[in-house]
Amino acid sequence: MKYISYILLVLFGMFVLTACDDEKPSKYHEEIVVDGFMWVGQRMQISLTKVIPFDQAYYADSVRITGADVFVTVDGVSYPLTEAISGIEGTYAAADSAPLVTKSKAYDLLVAKDGDSLRAHTTSAAALELTDVFLFNVNTGEIRPDPDTLEYGGDYLQMNWTTDSANYAYAVLIEAMDQSKYGESCDFGNDNGPGSYLFAWASRDISGLLLPWITLCYEGPTRLRAFSCDTVWWNYLGSVQFGSTTNDPESNVIGGKGIFCAVGCDTFDVVVTDTIAD
């Protein structure tokens, strides 16, 4: 879940100060941000952070919300999520005796902290598994199954995955693992992804995706994440603007910001090599 937290902290972890008609800045209001990506087949777990002023430096340790009371209700039973179980400040996890996240189940979140309360609801997607990943080179016609490198300038990447009627949609995110899209070093804090998200595709009824080399516009290790979406994650993707500091994507958290959803995910890693002469 640490890779997804980078997106949320970029999108929700900054509060943009806007101007009124008299050009005086509005008063900053601290809010709780829910990083509530739960994974099908894993234990219930979320993280809590807070928004910060736009002009304030971001440090992962300084935005964690600790000491909250967190509960997730499923099948009429409420399960407490605690920091003691996760072992990480600001991250709340269910006990081993609690049921794992299961497809087509309805989940309700309650967060209470210092008199404030947040609520959210979602219905989980099904697990997803990549069944086939291969490259073909448009210049040579060569097909390479299970590749570990992708040639920038010729290779196309085909990803196929399992489908399920419980899934509302599917999405693919491309993540630069050690550099940003433009080559700068990426260091976004101890708990966040090692790189930046470059692109995202989402569609309702697909079982695979063909990615041309032109979409991978940097050299280095790359991770591709295929998601089975619930409706919340789908709505989020449809409203997000990657790289914009004024982002305000759709949230299902009442009383705060962020997202609470349950999705399936499988990953594929490849090293992009640039063979085009400068």
Side-chain angles (χ1 to χ4, degrees), residues 35-56:
D35 177 359
F37 280 83
M38 299 194 303
W39 307 100
V40 176
Q42 299 185 24
R43 68 180 180 182
M44 295 180 285
Q45 181 171 305
I46 71 162
S47 295
L48 300 176
T49 58
K50 63 182 179 181
V51 299
I52 60 174
F54 180 74
D55 58 353
Q56 180 176 314

Side-chain angles (χ1 to χ4, degrees), residues 2-278:
K2 67 178 183 178
Y3 301 104
I4 297 300
S5 67
Y6 164 61
I7 303 180
L8 286 171
L9 288 168
V10 169
L11 302 178
F12 293 115
M14 297 180 179
F15 186 81
V16 180
L17 300 178
T18 58
C20 302
D21 292 338
D22 59 0
E23 297 185 356
K24 293 180 180 179
S26 60
K27 184 178 179 181
Y28 166 69
H29 175 62
E30 183 176 297
E31 293 183 273
I32 295 176
V33 180
V34 177
D35 177 359
F37 280 83
M38 299 194 303
W39 307 100
V40 176
Q42 299 185 24
R43 68 180 180 182
M44 295 180 285
Q45 181 171 305
I46 71 162
S47 295
L48 300 176
T49 58
K50 63 182 179 181
V51 299
I52 60 174
F54 180 74
D55 58 353
Q56 180 176 314
Y58 163 74
Y59 298 99
D61 291 341
S62 66
V63 297
R64 295 190 180 104
I65 296 291
T66 63
D69 295 316
V70 179
F71 299 89
V72 173
T73 300
V74 56
D75 291 334
V77 180
S78 293
Y79 298 92
L81 277 59
T82 68
E83 294 170 287
I85 293 174
S86 75
I88 304 171
E89 287 190 349
T91 297
Y92 301 78
D96 292 340
S97 58
L100 301 178
V101 179
T102 306
K103 77 170 187 178
S104 301
K105 293 284 188 179
Y107 291 86
D108 292 283
L109 172 70
L110 171 63
V111 175
K113 171 70 174 175
D114 298 334
D116 294 327
S117 62
L118 289 72
R119 295 182 181 272
H121 171 83
T122 195
T123 299
S124 62
L128 178 146
E129 181 181 358
L130 289 168
T131 57
D132 189 26
V133 181
F134 64 89
L135 290 178
F136 71 91
N137 189 290
V138 294
N139 299 319
T140 65
E142 177 189 9
I143 295 177
R144 288 186 287 142
D146 300 320
D148 54 9
T149 60
L150 182 151
E151 179 183 333
Y152 181 76
D155 282 333
Y156 280 51
L157 179 67
Q158 176 69 46
M159 304 173 63
N160 300 319
W161 53 77
T162 58
T163 61
D164 194 290
S165 59
N167 300 329
Y168 186 79
Y170 299 90
V172 172
L173 272 66
I174 298 178
E175 180 186 2
M177 295 303 291
D178 65 355
Q179 289 186 328
S180 76
K181 178 177 177 180
Y182 302 104
E184 302 92 348
S185 296
C186 289
D187 183 8
F188 295 107
N190 296 333
D191 286 346
N192 302 306
S196 58
Y197 283 89
L198 305 179
F199 294 100
W201 285 266
S203 183
R204 289 293 304 275
D205 300 308
I206 59 174
S207 60
L209 188 65
L210 177 66
L211 301 173
W213 59 266
I214 194 64
T215 59
L216 303 164
C217 50
Y218 89 112
E219 288 185 84
T222 302
R223 175 162 292 174
L224 298 103
R225 297 178 176 277
F227 288 94
S228 54
C229 304
D230 60 6
T231 54
V232 176
W233 180 218
W234 170 259
N235 292 338
Y236 172 87
L237 281 177
S239 57
V240 69
Q241 298 178 30
F242 287 91
S244 172
T245 56
T246 58
N247 244 324
D248 190 19
E250 185 169 332
S251 170
N252 67 330
V253 178
I254 301 172
K257 293 185 178 295
I259 190 170
F260 176 65
C261 62
V263 301
C265 180
D266 199 1
T267 63
F268 179 77
D269 294 342
V270 66
V271 176
V272 178
T273 60
D274 188 357
T275 58
I276 297 180
D278 293 334

